[in-house]
Amino acid sequence: MKIAVFMGGISSEREISLKTGKAILESLIRQGYDAYGVTLTKENLLSAFIENEYDLAYLALHGIYGEDGRIQGLLDVLGKKYTGSSMTASAVSMDKNLTKYIAQSIGVLTPKSYTKDEIKNITAFPIVVKPAVEGSSIGLYICNSLEEIEEAIKNSGDKEVTIEDFIQGDELTVGVIEGESLGVIRIKPKNGLYDFASKYTKGMSEYEFPAKISEKAYNIAMKNAALIHEKLGMSGISRSDFILRGEEVFFLEVNSCPGMTETSLVPKVATLKGYSFDDLTRKMVEKFK
Protein backbone atom coordinates (compact mmCIF):
# COMPACT_ATOMS: atom_id res chain seq x y z
CA MET A 1 0.00 0.00 0.00
CA LYS A 2 1.45 3.33 -1.11
CA ILE A 3 0.61 6.22 1.20
CA ALA A 4 0.82 9.89 0.24
CA VAL A 5 0.90 12.30 3.19
CA PHE A 6 -0.70 15.55 2.07
CA MET A 7 0.38 18.63 4.03
CA GLY A 8 0.63 22.39 3.76
CA GLY A 9 -2.34 23.79 1.87
CA ILE A 10 -3.50 27.39 1.71
CA SER A 11 -5.18 27.99 5.08
CA SER A 12 -3.89 30.22 7.86
CA GLU A 13 -2.68 27.03 9.54
CA ARG A 14 -0.34 26.02 6.71
CA GLU A 15 2.86 26.07 8.79
CA ILE A 16 1.33 23.88 11.50
CA SER A 17 0.13 21.46 8.81
CA LEU A 18 3.66 21.17 7.42
CA LYS A 19 4.96 20.24 10.88
CA THR A 20 2.14 17.73 11.35
CA GLY A 21 2.76 16.17 7.95
CA LYS A 22 6.50 15.90 8.50
CA ALA A 23 6.04 14.13 11.85
CA ILE A 24 3.45 11.73 10.42
CA LEU A 25 5.59 10.91 7.37
CA GLU A 26 8.64 10.22 9.54
CA SER A 27 6.51 7.94 11.73
CA LEU A 28 5.16 5.95 8.79
CA ILE A 29 8.60 5.52 7.22
CA ARG A 30 10.01 4.52 10.60
CA GLN A 31 7.43 1.73 10.73
CA GLY A 32 8.26 0.48 7.25
CA TYR A 33 5.31 1.89 5.30
CA ASP A 34 5.74 2.87 1.66
CA ALA A 35 5.02 6.54 2.24
CA TYR A 36 6.02 9.88 0.77
CA GLY A 37 5.06 13.50 1.32
CA VAL A 38 3.16 15.90 -0.93
CA THR A 39 3.27 19.61 -0.12
CA LEU A 40 0.15 21.44 -1.24
CA THR A 41 0.21 25.01 -2.53
CA LYS A 42 -2.30 27.23 -4.30
CA GLU A 43 -0.87 26.05 -7.61
CA ASN A 44 -1.25 22.29 -7.06
CA LEU A 45 -4.20 22.17 -4.67
CA LEU A 46 -6.20 20.16 -7.20
CA SER A 47 -3.59 18.55 -9.43
CA ALA A 48 -1.59 17.02 -6.57
CA PHE A 49 -4.45 14.64 -5.79
CA ILE A 50 -4.91 13.67 -9.43
CA GLU A 51 -1.34 13.35 -10.67
CA ASN A 52 0.32 11.52 -7.77
CA GLU A 53 0.14 7.76 -7.33
CA TYR A 54 -1.16 6.48 -4.00
CA ASP A 55 -3.53 3.94 -2.51
CA LEU A 56 -4.25 6.02 0.59
CA ALA A 57 -4.21 9.76 1.16
CA TYR A 58 -3.07 10.52 4.71
CA LEU A 59 -4.51 13.98 5.31
CA ALA A 60 -2.36 16.16 7.55
CA LEU A 61 -4.21 19.34 6.64
CA HIS A 62 -5.68 21.96 8.98
CA GLY A 63 -8.28 24.64 8.32
CA ILE A 64 -10.03 25.51 5.08
CA TYR A 65 -9.29 23.42 1.99
CA GLY A 66 -8.17 20.53 4.12
CA GLU A 67 -10.28 20.07 7.23
CA ASP A 68 -13.59 21.46 5.98
CA GLY A 69 -14.78 18.64 3.71
CA ARG A 70 -13.74 20.07 0.35
CA ILE A 71 -10.62 17.93 -0.09
CA GLN A 72 -12.53 14.91 1.26
CA GLY A 73 -15.22 15.48 -1.37
CA LEU A 74 -12.59 15.66 -4.10
CA LEU A 75 -11.09 12.37 -2.96
CA ASP A 76 -14.57 10.81 -2.92
CA VAL A 77 -15.03 11.86 -6.56
CA LEU A 78 -11.62 10.42 -7.43
CA GLY A 79 -12.49 7.16 -5.65
CA LYS A 80 -9.48 7.48 -3.35
CA LYS A 81 -9.30 6.28 0.24
CA TYR A 82 -8.28 8.82 2.87
CA THR A 83 -7.69 9.06 6.60
CA GLY A 84 -9.89 10.90 9.02
CA SER A 85 -13.49 12.00 8.82
CA SER A 86 -15.78 11.95 5.80
CA MET A 87 -16.71 14.98 3.72
CA THR A 88 -19.92 15.59 5.68
CA ALA A 89 -18.43 15.08 9.15
CA SER A 90 -15.47 17.30 8.26
CA ALA A 91 -17.67 20.10 6.95
CA VAL A 92 -20.02 20.04 9.92
CA SER A 93 -17.30 19.84 12.58
CA MET A 94 -15.39 22.71 10.94
CA ASP A 95 -18.38 25.02 11.45
CA LYS A 96 -18.35 26.00 15.13
CA ASN A 97 -21.91 27.33 15.06
CA LEU A 98 -23.40 24.22 13.46
CA THR A 99 -21.39 21.95 15.75
CA LYS A 100 -22.67 23.85 18.81
CA TYR A 101 -26.29 23.41 17.69
CA ILE A 102 -25.73 19.67 17.39
CA ALA A 103 -23.95 19.54 20.76
CA GLN A 104 -26.83 21.35 22.42
CA SER A 105 -29.35 18.99 20.82
CA ILE A 106 -27.68 15.97 22.47
CA GLY A 107 -27.46 17.59 25.89
CA VAL A 108 -23.86 18.85 25.81
CA LEU A 109 -23.37 22.14 27.67
CA THR A 110 -22.06 25.04 25.55
CA PRO A 111 -21.54 28.78 26.14
CA LYS A 112 -24.53 30.97 25.30
CA SER A 113 -24.37 32.15 21.69
CA TYR A 114 -25.60 35.25 19.90
CA THR A 115 -26.34 36.20 16.31
CA LYS A 116 -25.15 39.50 14.86
CA ASP A 117 -28.71 40.79 15.23
CA GLU A 118 -28.73 39.98 18.94
CA ILE A 119 -25.54 41.72 20.03
CA LYS A 120 -27.30 44.96 21.00
CA ASN A 121 -29.15 42.98 23.67
CA ILE A 122 -25.92 41.78 25.33
CA THR A 123 -25.51 43.20 28.83
CA ALA A 124 -22.87 40.88 30.35
CA PHE A 125 -19.25 40.88 29.25
CA PRO A 126 -16.67 39.68 28.21
CA ILE A 127 -17.87 38.23 24.91
CA VAL A 128 -15.82 36.08 22.52
CA VAL A 129 -15.89 36.77 18.79
CA LYS A 130 -14.06 34.32 16.54
CA PRO A 131 -14.29 33.02 12.96
CA ALA A 132 -16.70 30.10 12.74
CA VAL A 133 -14.49 28.11 10.36
CA GLU A 134 -10.91 28.87 11.41
CA GLY A 135 -8.73 27.07 13.93
CA SER A 136 -5.66 27.63 16.12
CA SER A 137 -7.40 30.60 17.84
CA ILE A 138 -6.73 32.75 14.76
CA GLY A 139 -8.86 35.89 14.68
CA LEU A 140 -10.10 35.49 18.25
CA TYR A 141 -11.27 38.60 20.11
CA ILE A 142 -12.22 39.04 23.77
CA CYS A 143 -14.65 41.97 23.87
CA ASN A 144 -15.68 44.06 26.87
CA SER A 145 -18.20 46.35 25.21
CA LEU A 146 -20.67 46.49 22.34
CA GLU A 147 -18.25 48.72 20.46
CA GLU A 148 -15.50 46.11 20.74
CA ILE A 149 -17.87 43.40 19.50
CA GLU A 150 -18.79 45.50 16.48
CA GLU A 151 -15.13 46.20 15.79
CA ALA A 152 -14.26 42.48 16.03
CA ILE A 153 -17.06 41.62 13.60
CA LYS A 154 -15.86 44.34 11.22
CA ASN A 155 -12.27 43.04 11.42
CA SER A 156 -13.51 39.55 10.54
CA GLY A 157 -14.61 40.86 7.15
CA ASP A 158 -17.03 38.61 5.31
CA LYS A 159 -16.19 35.56 7.42
CA GLU A 160 -18.97 33.92 9.42
CA VAL A 161 -18.31 34.47 13.12
CA THR A 162 -19.14 32.78 16.40
CA ILE A 163 -20.29 35.17 19.12
CA GLU A 164 -20.55 33.66 22.59
CA ASP A 165 -20.15 34.27 26.31
CA PHE A 166 -16.57 34.20 27.55
CA ILE A 167 -16.39 31.44 30.15
CA GLN A 168 -13.71 32.06 32.77
CA GLY A 169 -12.20 28.75 33.77
CA ASP A 170 -9.68 26.02 33.02
CA GLU A 171 -8.95 25.03 29.43
CA LEU A 172 -9.41 21.30 28.85
CA THR A 173 -8.92 19.16 25.78
CA VAL A 174 -9.75 15.52 25.07
CA GLY A 175 -8.30 13.40 22.30
CA VAL A 176 -10.44 10.69 20.68
CA ILE A 177 -9.37 7.95 18.29
CA GLU A 178 -12.02 5.84 16.57
CA GLY A 179 -14.51 6.68 19.31
CA GLU A 180 -12.16 6.00 22.24
CA SER A 181 -11.51 8.97 24.53
CA LEU A 182 -7.82 9.01 25.40
CA GLY A 183 -7.78 11.29 28.43
CA VAL A 184 -8.13 14.89 29.57
CA ILE A 185 -5.40 17.54 29.47
CA ARG A 186 -5.65 20.75 31.47
CA ILE A 187 -3.91 23.60 29.66
CA LYS A 188 -2.26 26.36 31.65
CA PRO A 189 -1.34 29.27 29.33
CA LYS A 190 1.14 31.62 30.99
CA ASN A 191 -0.55 34.72 29.56
CA GLY A 192 -3.99 33.60 30.76
CA LEU A 193 -5.42 32.97 27.28
CA TYR A 194 -4.78 29.95 25.08
CA ASP A 195 -4.27 31.95 21.88
CA PHE A 196 -2.12 31.21 18.81
CA ALA A 197 1.10 32.27 20.56
CA SER A 198 0.33 30.15 23.62
CA LYS A 199 -0.37 27.13 21.42
CA TYR A 200 2.72 27.28 19.25
CA THR A 201 5.40 29.10 21.24
CA LYS A 202 7.54 26.78 23.29
CA GLY A 203 7.26 27.44 27.02
CA MET A 204 4.15 29.64 26.74
CA SER A 205 1.83 26.95 28.14
CA GLU A 206 2.00 24.10 30.64
CA TYR A 207 0.08 20.85 30.13
CA GLU A 208 -1.26 18.73 32.97
CA PHE A 209 -2.29 15.18 32.06
CA PRO A 210 -4.18 13.50 33.39
CA ALA A 211 -5.91 16.74 34.37
CA LYS A 212 -6.10 17.18 38.14
CA ILE A 213 -9.79 18.00 38.23
CA SER A 214 -12.73 16.30 39.93
CA GLU A 215 -13.63 12.78 38.82
CA LYS A 216 -17.08 14.06 37.84
CA ALA A 217 -15.74 16.78 35.55
CA TYR A 218 -13.11 14.44 34.09
CA ASN A 219 -15.76 11.86 33.21
CA ILE A 220 -18.07 14.47 31.68
CA ALA A 221 -15.29 15.72 29.39
CA MET A 222 -14.36 12.16 28.37
CA LYS A 223 -17.99 11.19 27.73
CA ASN A 224 -18.89 14.32 25.77
CA ALA A 225 -15.78 14.19 23.56
CA ALA A 226 -16.67 10.63 22.55
CA LEU A 227 -20.32 11.64 22.10
CA ILE A 228 -19.44 14.56 19.82
CA HIS A 229 -17.14 12.28 17.79
CA GLU A 230 -19.94 9.73 17.43
CA LYS A 231 -22.90 12.02 16.74
CA LEU A 232 -21.01 14.04 14.11
CA GLY A 233 -20.05 10.78 12.40
CA MET A 234 -16.33 11.44 12.78
CA SER A 235 -13.59 8.91 12.01
CA GLY A 236 -9.93 8.58 12.92
CA ILE A 237 -8.67 11.19 15.38
CA SER A 238 -10.57 14.17 16.77
CA ARG A 239 -9.89 16.58 19.61
CA SER A 240 -12.60 18.36 21.58
CA ASP A 241 -11.93 21.52 23.57
CA PHE A 242 -13.76 22.47 26.75
CA ILE A 243 -13.79 25.10 29.51
CA LEU A 244 -14.23 23.97 33.11
CA ARG A 245 -15.98 26.44 35.42
CA GLY A 246 -16.52 24.93 38.83
CA GLU A 247 -18.08 21.57 37.99
CA GLU A 248 -19.57 22.80 34.70
CA VAL A 249 -17.85 21.51 31.55
CA PHE A 250 -18.58 23.74 28.54
CA PHE A 251 -17.91 22.33 25.07
CA LEU A 252 -16.24 24.85 22.73
CA GLU A 253 -15.31 23.08 19.47
CA VAL A 254 -14.01 19.90 17.89
CA ASN A 255 -11.10 19.46 15.48
CA SER A 256 -11.36 16.70 12.87
CA CYS A 257 -7.64 16.87 12.05
CA PRO A 258 -5.79 18.14 15.14
CA GLY A 259 -2.09 18.85 15.23
CA MET A 260 0.01 15.69 15.20
CA THR A 261 3.59 16.62 15.91
CA GLU A 262 5.53 14.74 18.56
CA THR A 263 4.64 17.50 21.05
CA SER A 264 0.99 18.08 20.06
CA LEU A 265 -1.85 17.56 22.52
CA VAL A 266 -3.33 14.33 21.15
CA PRO A 267 0.00 12.42 21.19
CA LYS A 268 0.57 13.72 24.73
CA VAL A 269 -2.76 12.53 26.08
CA ALA A 270 -2.58 9.24 24.13
CA THR A 271 0.29 8.19 26.39
CA LEU A 272 -2.30 7.82 29.17
CA LYS A 273 -3.67 4.84 27.22
CA GLY A 274 -0.19 3.54 26.48
CA TYR A 275 -0.20 4.66 22.84
CA SER A 276 2.99 5.96 21.26
CA PHE A 277 3.05 8.41 18.35
CA ASP A 278 3.71 5.49 16.00
CA ASP A 279 0.71 3.63 17.46
CA LEU A 280 -1.55 6.54 16.52
CA THR A 281 -0.36 6.84 12.93
CA ARG A 282 -0.54 3.07 12.54
CA LYS A 283 -4.13 3.01 13.81
CA MET A 284 -5.01 5.63 11.21
CA VAL A 285 -3.82 3.49 8.29
CA GLU A 286 -4.07 -0.16 9.35
CA LYS A 287 -7.85 -0.37 8.75
CA PHE A 288 -7.23 0.33 5.06
CA LYS A 289 -5.01 -2.71 4.52
Side-chain angles (χ1 to χ4, degrees), residues 4-6 24 49 57-61 66 71-72 75 82-83 85 257:
V5 180
F6 291 92
I24 289 170
F49 293 96
Y58 197 125
L59 300 181
L61 300 164
I71 293 299
Q72 290 79 3
L75 289 165
Y82 54 90
T83 59
S85 291
C257 188

Side-chain angles (χ1 to χ4, degrees), residues 80 140 172 248:
K80 291 289 191 177
L140 182 145
L172 306 177
E248 296 178 301

Side-chain angles (χ1 to χ4, degrees), residues 89-275:
S90 297
V92 171
S93 62
M94 186 69 181
D95 188 317
K96 296 182 182 71
N97 292 334
L98 185 53
T99 300
K100 282 181 66 177
Y101 295 144
I102 295 171
Q104 291 163 0
S105 74
I106 57 176
V108 175
L109 181 65
T110 69
K112 183 178 179 180
S113 297
Y114 307 89
T115 66
K116 290 180 181 179
D117 294 332
E118 294 172 333
I119 62 173
K120 291 184 178 179
N121 300 323
I122 295 174
T123 57
F125 297 90
I127 295 292
V128 176
V129 178
K130 57 187 176 183
V133 292
E134 290 280 2
S136 291
S137 302
I138 293 169
L140 182 145
Y141 297 89
I142 308 297
C143 306
N144 291 292
S145 67
L146 176 59
E147 291 73 23
E148 289 185 9
I149 295 174
E150 292 173 337
E151 184 67 18
I153 293 172
K154 179 182 177 181
N155 290 341
S156 298
D158 58 358
K159 293 180 180 178
E160 182 184 359
V161 295
T162 295
I163 306 168
E164 63 187 15
D165 286 345
F166 175 77
I167 307 297
Q168 185 69 48
D170 290 332
E171 304 251 4
L172 306 177
T173 197
V174 182
V176 176
I177 184 164
E178 299 296 359
E180 177 189 11
S181 290
L182 299 170
V184 183
I185 293 180
R186 177 159 63 172
I187 302 163
K188 298 179 178 181
K190 293 186 177 179
N191 69 355
L193 179 66
Y194 197 47
D195 55 11
F196 188 89
S198 294
K199 287 184 178 183
Y200 300 116
T201 304
K202 187 175 181 179
M204 287 285 286
S205 296
E206 295 178 356
Y207 304 99
E208 176 185 277
F209 57 100
K212 295 176 182 176
I213 58 178
S214 73
E215 183 179 359
K216 176 184 176 182
Y218 197 101
N219 290 337
I220 289 173
M222 291 280 281
K223 174 187 173 184
N224 285 348
L227 192 59
I228 292 290
H229 187 98
E230 174 193 352
K231 295 303 183 182
L232 267 62
M234 304 180 82
S235 301
I237 293 173
S238 71
R239 196 196 75 230
S240 287
D241 298 333
F242 302 88
I243 291 287
L244 174 64
R245 184 179 68 187
E247 289 293 285
E248 296 178 301
V249 182
F250 293 84
F251 168 75
L252 297 181
E253 61 183 86
V254 63
N255 298 274
S256 64
C257 188
M260 278 290 290
T261 69
E262 297 279 2
T263 57
S264 294
L265 298 182
V266 170
K268 284 181 188 294
V269 79
T271 61
L272 297 177
K273 292 285 188 176
Y275 295 140

